[in-house]
Amino acid sequence: NAGVTQTPKFRVLKTGQSMTLLCAQDMNHEYMYWYRQDPGMGLRLIHYSVGEGTTAKGEVPDGYNVSRLKKQNFLLGLESAAPSQTSVYFCASSSSYNEQFFGPGTRLTVL
Amino acid sequence: GEDVEQSLFLSVREGDSSVINCTYTDSSSTYLYWYKQEPGAGLQLLTYIFSNMDMKQDQRLTVLLNKKDKHLSLRIADTQTGDSAIYFCAEIAYSGAGSYQLTFGKGTKLSVIP
């Protein structure tokens, strides 16, 4: 099993550009999450999903959209990137409310 | 809202014990977690404790939970250089519609001096 994978690993965008981050899990987990990690801020939840076709807002959802068209995939979109969205993005999945499995992260820089 | 607090840095000598402390606010949390993040990597679950337990031991790791003071600690015995990482405390809370969310502390960076 690959666990949780994220694509791409690194990306540099210009302000105003758009992009989609892909998260995939092969553990048949119902729950999936997108977090951002900033220095001194810990991890903050952006959006999450409790099952295929459902999404919900987390702590810091503004400027992001998500979709969960397939159970194994959770996409995070930035429609118009801003420098404040420079961060490391982590995806996670879980089968219940217990252990979350994390991907390796995507380092995004917005110039 | 929920808040999880932990000190940002800890430095110990190799072979000594490390104790990382955490306080949380949500008394209804059913599970509390410790995650480890090595440089350039994602988070890895180290251990967790159910809220009706006071202590959990797993090899070199000991978790202590004081529910009255809402205080959680992680003790690493015989700390090794490979233990150098950022350690995150997290609590789980029900967020409605059958879903639960983790709230993370800001992380404690453990540096092990050879």
Side-chain angles (χ1 to χ4, degrees):
Chain A
N1 287 352
V4 180
T5 58
Q6 294 183 230
T7 310
K9 288 186 170 52
F10 303 93
R11 186 71 186 268
V12 178
L13 292 178
K14 293 181 179 178
T15 297
Q17 286 185 317
S18 62
M19 78 161 295
T20 300
L21 282 66
L22 171 64
C23 175
Q25 52 94 5
D26 61 2
M27 297 173 281
N28 201 35
H29 285 168
E30 288 294 332
Y31 302 92
M32 296 188 75
Y33 313 82
W34 275 107
Y35 294 90
R36 60 178 289 173
Q37 184 180 28
D38 303 293
M41 297 293 290
L43 272 78
R44 292 181 292 170
L45 183 65
I46 304 171
H47 286 280
Y48 64 99
S49 168
V50 301
E52 182 179 323
T54 72
T55 63
K57 294 180 180 180
E59 181 186 352
V60 288
D62 293 342
Y64 305 95
N65 56 75
V66 288
S67 64
R68 184 100 182 268
L69 299 179
K70 294 182 179 179
K71 185 177 184 179
Q72 63 268 34
N73 295 337
F74 195 29
L75 279 63
L76 178 71
L78 286 73
E79 290 186 349
S80 179
S84 60
Q85 294 178 304
T86 294
S87 188
V88 181
Y89 291 86
F90 288 100
C91 175
S93 71
S94 65
S95 59
S96 67
Y97 62 85
N98 210 349
E99 180 177 2
Q100 290 186 16
F101 293 84
F102 282 80
T106 295
R107 187 173 295 274
L108 175 66
T109 301
V110 182
L111 302 175
Chain B
E2 300 83 15
D3 201 11
V4 179
E5 300 283 342
Q6 33 180 149
S7 54
L8 295 182
F9 302 99
L10 177 65
S11 183
V12 299
R13 293 202 174 275
E14 189 175 14
D16 288 350
S17 292
S18 307
V19 179
I20 302 171
N21 295 301
C22 168
T23 58
Y24 61 96
T25 57
D26 190 343
S27 58
S28 65
S29 290
T30 51
Y31 288 92
L32 294 133
Y33 304 83
W34 285 104
Y35 279 84
K36 177 183 180 182
Q37 184 182 31
E38 295 182 353
L43 276 72
Q44 175 190 3
L45 181 65
L46 264 185
T47 186
Y48 64 90
I49 188 166
F50 191 52
S51 60
N52 68 353
M53 298 169 65
D54 296 325
M55 185 181 85
K56 181 179 180 182
Q57 188 148 5
D58 184 3
Q59 299 181 335
R60 292 191 296 121
L61 304 178
T62 302
V63 179
L64 294 177
L65 175 61
N66 180 330
K67 290 183 287 295
K68 175 175 172 290
D69 295 337
K70 298 195 185 86
H71 182 266
L72 183 73
S73 68
L74 173 70
R75 178 178 181 269
I76 305 173
D78 187 25
T79 311
Q80 302 297 307
T81 54
D83 295 324
S84 292
I86 300 176
Y87 292 80
F88 291 91
C89 172
E91 63 173 351
I92 199 139
Y94 183 66
S95 57
S99 68
Y100 292 79
Q101 291 185 25
L102 281 177
T103 299
F104 288 87
K106 291 181 170 52
T108 299
K109 184 174 183 178
L110 175 63
S111 299
V112 182
I113 305 164

